Amino acid sequence: MLSVKRHTFLLKLLLGRGERRVFALMESTTNTMVNGSDLDNNNAAGGGGVVDVYGEDFATEDQLITPWTVSVASGYTLLRDPRHNKGLAFTENERDAHYLRGLLPPALMNQELQEKRLMHNLRQYKVPLQRYVAMMDLQERNERLFYKLLIDNVEELLPVVYTPTVGEACQKYGSIFRRPQGLYISLKEKGKILEVLKNWPERNIQVIVVTDGERILGLGDLGCQGMGIPVGKLSLYTALGGLRPSACLPITIDVGTNNEQLLNDEFYIGLRQKRATGQEYAELLQEFMTAVKQNYGEKVLIQFEDFANHNAFELLSKYSSSHLVFNDDIQGTASVVLAGILSALKLVGGTLADQTFLFLGAGEAGTGIAELIALEMSKQTKAPIEEARKKIWLVDSKGLIVSSRKESLQHFKKPWAHEHAPIKSLLDAVKAIKPTMLMGTSGVGKTFTKEVVEAMASFNEKPVIFALSNPTSQSECTAEEAYTWSKGQAIFASGSPFDPVEYNGKVFVPGQGNNAYIFPGLGLGLIISGAIRVRDEMLLAASEALAAQVTQEHFDKGLIYPPFTNIRKISAHIAAKVAAKAYDLGLASRLPRPKDLVSYAESCMYSPMYRSYR
């Protein structure tokens, strides 16, 4: 007969700031009999007088046990809480008050010194992925120090936590996976998505970044391993846009993958099946969107990230009238590129309507940028948008998009099918169209060849060349190639960062048309205004606000984007313009409207400085 020690537990579940804390109060005990043997405190399982309270040592591998957690905001638990942990920055008084004596070395180290030490350590790593893993480890153990590091060293660390390194991280996510960050919603959860959302400890969510992993950067279908993208994006929402980390939720929707290499990888962390499509896919996304609105309300921003073209356009079209949704690949890219174009006009001269555009790539990014350019052109000239579109040409995998191909084109390409003879190659299209601005959104590297760049320079005094595909390996050309082949004439920008280039004794600083300029400020503007929908006018306002941050000093250096060192100030100005547009359009719900929206945006920003504890 098995006699089990009796414990009376007083359980109290506290839901404070999203944490679940269970306090257990144990009362008197009696002797325990296991298989007829007395177990007192001196020969308890595990040795050293430790009573096996939860039966873990006696449980066989197939026997169920209860995963009790005793969590209090002090002592050892406090050091394991990334939101409150300060490491060696805990003061003497805090170490006494919170039972930290002996759990930390005696030295005291303030946040600035901790930051200096960590940057020194990070710079020892020669492999970018090692830096990425080190940063993710820091985020999991000391949240405020992670964001302090990122904010203060944004130009150095942005390529580590975001493109291009995040692309490699996603490819190897199964191997470097340590602990879950965010929610994984798979086909297994169909019918239970609302319950899954409620498993996330935070209730006051303001922004969700969601992907299905089908088109990660220019790397293709990475399935469940695409989680690195939402995690990275939301780190930037906090560091660059000032949203609270606890208000951000990364989500991956796993419907399988068509990547055979991942399906055969023993370390793959997702569903091992081909991608669900059609009705099954649509029903899962519908349930997800409904559950998000039900659980978090009308004003939660849902950012679609790295969905394949066929789903991206459909989801944006379907939910833009019922949810606060935003697609960064279509709209964010468009907004940041338009800002770069508006800045470049100050160097090239003329108006937007004077330009002729040629795009290599007619997917989400290409058509999204083209449409926003046309909207801005229509706004400036008061002409119909159909007229503005005639200044913009697109090349896809089959050649120049022309009216004779219209019947076979996908719906999002049809507005760009103009009257012209069919042309197969990009070089021939450049020679025929004679664009003033060449945009690369193909996701295919090395496609802006020497001949293409030389042709652009032959009929433009200052050809504008944007190689926007990510990561760096997929860029249509490098900064060095653009400047060298154009003999220093080109105004160049890229999606991923390139180092400055010296040509003929002059140093050229390439611009980076990084979405991180736009989406953090856009998101902040939507949230501080309580916006309930995203409109194109807000994207135009964001582009104009970013372009306005480029000063003459920047132009003198050849820059068409402001330095990232001022990104929080830039985000505040973008947020103010976006919020103002939301109020003007009657889509803002936070009333009354603040008098100074820039100051209000800055006051709402999260600070990573350590707090003092009682």
Side-chain angles (χ1 to χ4, degrees):
M1 179 176 176
L2 178 66
S3 173
V4 182
K5 178 186 290 186
R6 293 184 178 181
H7 297 275
T8 303
F9 290 95
L10 176 63
L11 300 178
K12 185 177 182 183
L13 183 65
L14 296 180
L15 294 174
R17 296 191 63 181
E19 296 169 328
R20 294 183 179 181
R21 299 179 181 178
V22 181
F23 296 81
L25 184 63
M26 293 182 287
E27 294 182 349
S28 60
T29 61
T30 59
N31 287 337
T32 302
M33 297 286 293
V34 178
N35 293 332
S37 300
D38 289 338
L39 287 175
D40 59 27
N41 284 345
N42 292 322
N43 67 344
V50 179
V51 179
D52 182 22
V53 175
Y54 306 116
E56 292 176 53
D57 293 307
F58 286 104
T60 58
E61 288 186 0
D62 59 350
Q63 184 178 342
L64 299 178
I65 64 170
T66 303
W68 292 99
T69 299
V70 178
S71 177
V72 294
S74 62
Y76 189 80
T77 307
L78 179 57
L79 297 178
R80 295 297 182 273
D81 182 344
R83 191 178 303 174
H84 301 111
N85 178 32
K86 300 195 289 187
L88 292 178
F90 283 108
T91 65
E92 298 285 3
N93 288 339
E94 287 171 338
R95 295 181 187 206
D96 287 331
H98 295 278
Y99 307 99
L100 297 173
R101 286 291 177 193
L103 299 180
L104 288 168
L108 298 177
M109 192 178 291
N110 64 27
Q111 196 174 20
E112 287 68 31
L113 192 56
Q114 288 179 316
E115 181 181 348
K116 181 179 178 181
R117 178 173 64 88
L118 280 165
M119 286 306 299
H120 171 77
N121 292 342
L122 282 172
R123 287 167 182 149
Q124 305 309 305
Y125 293 119
K126 303 304 179 187
V127 180
L129 188 62
Q130 292 176 329
R131 292 186 181 188
Y132 175 88
V133 171
M135 286 295 289
M136 293 304 103
D137 284 346
L138 175 61
Q139 188 178 21
E140 290 179 8
R141 70 175 185 268
N142 189 329
E143 188 175 86
R144 289 186 181 275
L145 186 56
F146 169 83
Y147 286 112
K148 183 79 163 57
L149 209 68
L150 187 52
I151 291 167
D152 291 349
N153 304 275
V154 64
E155 290 189 315
E156 185 175 351
L157 295 180
L158 186 62
V160 175
V161 300
Y162 192 47
T163 183
T165 310
V166 73
E168 184 184 0
C170 287
Q171 288 177 310
K172 300 175 180 177
Y173 211 75
S175 300
I176 65 173
F177 179 81
R178 280 166 165 72
R179 133 181 171 183
Q181 294 173 294
L183 283 177
Y184 294 85
I185 297 174
S186 73
L187 290 168
K188 292 180 178 180
E189 281 73 58
K190 191 174 181 182
K192 300 180 288 186
I193 292 179
L194 182 60
E195 295 175 35
V196 174
L197 292 177
K198 290 181 177 178
N199 287 342
W200 189 250
E202 303 293 344
R203 291 293 173 263
N204 186 23
I205 298 298
Q206 294 176 322
V207 60
I208 290 170
V209 176
V210 60
T211 186
D212 70 353
E214 189 169 4
R215 192 201 61 83
I216 298 298
L217 301 175
L219 303 172
D221 186 350
L222 297 183
C224 191
Q225 297 188 171
M227 178 58 99
I229 296 295
V231 169
K233 290 272 182 176
L234 287 168
S235 296
L236 301 186
Y237 262 112
T238 297
L240 313 186
L243 274 70
R244 290 179 296 105
S246 60
C248 300
L249 174 56
I251 295 179
T252 289
I253 294 180
D254 187 358
V255 295
T257 179
N258 294 333
N259 187 325
E260 290 293 338
Q261 187 177 349
L262 290 180
L263 290 173
N264 295 322
D265 183 354
E266 63 177 327
F267 299 127
Y268 180 55
I269 59 175
L271 287 180
R272 293 180 185 274
Q273 66 172 63
K274 292 290 186 180
R275 279 191 171 273
T277 58
Q279 185 177 351
E280 185 179 16
Y281 181 90
E283 287 176 355
L284 188 73
L285 267 293
Q286 177 66 49
E287 183 187 349
F288 168 72
M289 295 299 289
T290 303
V292 165
K293 198 169 182 179
Q294 185 177 345
N295 202 47
Y296 300 120
E298 182 87 10
K299 293 178 284 187
V300 62
L301 173 61
I302 304 168
Q303 178 172 316
F304 295 122
E305 194 67 40
D306 287 351
F307 284 77
N309 289 345
H310 54 280
N311 289 323
F313 287 102
E314 187 175 332
L315 290 170
L316 188 60
S317 173
K318 182 176 181 179
Y319 294 108
S320 59
S321 60
S322 59
H323 292 68
L324 184 67
V325 293
F326 166 70
N327 185 302
D328 192 42
D329 305 299
I330 299 172
Q331 297 166 295
T333 302
S335 188
V336 76
V337 172
L338 177 58
I341 290 168
L342 295 176
S343 294
L345 288 176
K346 305 249 180 86
L347 298 172
V348 174
T351 66
L352 192 62
D354 295 331
Q355 310 306 313
T356 301
F357 296 85
L358 180 64
F359 283 78
L360 177 63
E364 294 172 56
T367 55
I369 297 166
E371 185 67 13
L372 204 64
I373 293 171
L375 283 168
E376 180 69 15
M377 203 182 290
S378 175
K379 176 186 168 186
Q380 290 182 9
T381 62
K382 311 297 182 190
I385 192 168
E386 290 76 16
E387 286 299 312
R389 287 182 182 136
K390 291 177 181 177
K391 302 284 289 181
I392 304 168
W393 299 79
L394 277 68
V395 173
D396 65 7
S397 58
K398 294 181 174 62
L400 189 67
I401 294 178
V402 294
S403 53
S404 60
R405 293 178 52 196
K406 203 162 189 176
E407 293 303 315
S408 63
L409 292 173
Q410 293 165 286
H411 68 91
F412 53 86
K413 295 182 182 181
K414 289 184 178 181
W416 313 103
H418 309 315
E419 287 293 336
H420 199 285
I423 297 177
K424 289 291 184 183
S425 74
L426 174 64
L427 179 58
D428 289 340
V430 168
K431 290 177 178 178
I433 303 300
K434 290 185 168 49
T436 56
M437 299 195 177
L438 180 64
M439 305 281 138
T441 60
S442 63
V444 181
K446 306 299 180 186
T447 42
F448 288 176
T449 61
K450 183 180 181 184
E451 293 76 17
V452 167
V453 174
E454 286 177 342
M456 284 291 294
S458 69
F459 46 77
N460 290 297
E461 185 183 343
K462 292 182 177 178
V464 176
I465 299 173
F466 283 13
L468 298 167
S469 295
N470 289 317
T472 312
S473 59
Q474 307 304 116
S475 184
E476 284 77 10
C477 69
T478 66
E480 184 176 7
E481 289 167 346
Y483 293 125
T484 303
W485 293 338
S486 69
K487 295 182 170 55
Q489 293 174 235
I491 296 169
F492 177 81
S494 58
S496 290
F498 284 104
D499 292 329
V501 174
E502 185 175 345
Y503 178 80
N504 276 358
K506 183 178 179 182
V507 176
F508 294 88
V509 182
Q512 187 189 356
N514 194 321
N515 294 19
Y517 276 115
I518 290 290
F519 70 80
L522 176 70
L524 180 62
L526 294 170
I527 288 164
I528 64 173
S529 63
I532 57 172
R533 299 290 179 268
V534 178
R535 292 290 179 261
D536 288 334
E537 292 89 339
M538 299 174 185
L539 301 172
L540 294 177
S543 297
E544 292 163 3
L546 176 56
Q549 296 301 305
V550 186
T551 65
Q552 189 58 49
E553 181 186 351
H554 300 141
F555 287 128
D556 292 342
K557 296 178 182 177
L559 292 172
I560 55 173
Y561 290 103
F564 262 109
T565 47
N566 299 325
I567 187 62
R568 279 206 154 195
K569 176 188 171 189
I570 294 165
S571 292
H573 281 272
I574 291 172
K577 291 292 186 184
V578 170
K581 189 58 68 174
Y583 282 107
D584 293 345
L585 295 172
L587 294 171
S589 64
R590 183 155 291 140
L591 300 172
R593 174 176 176 163
K595 291 179 180 178
D596 186 341
L597 283 167
V598 174
S599 296
Y600 181 62
E602 290 175 336
S603 72
C604 292
M605 285 185 167
Y606 164 86
S607 168
M609 301 300 293
Y610 284 148
R611 303 295 191 266
S612 296
Y613 300 144
R614 295 186 183 88

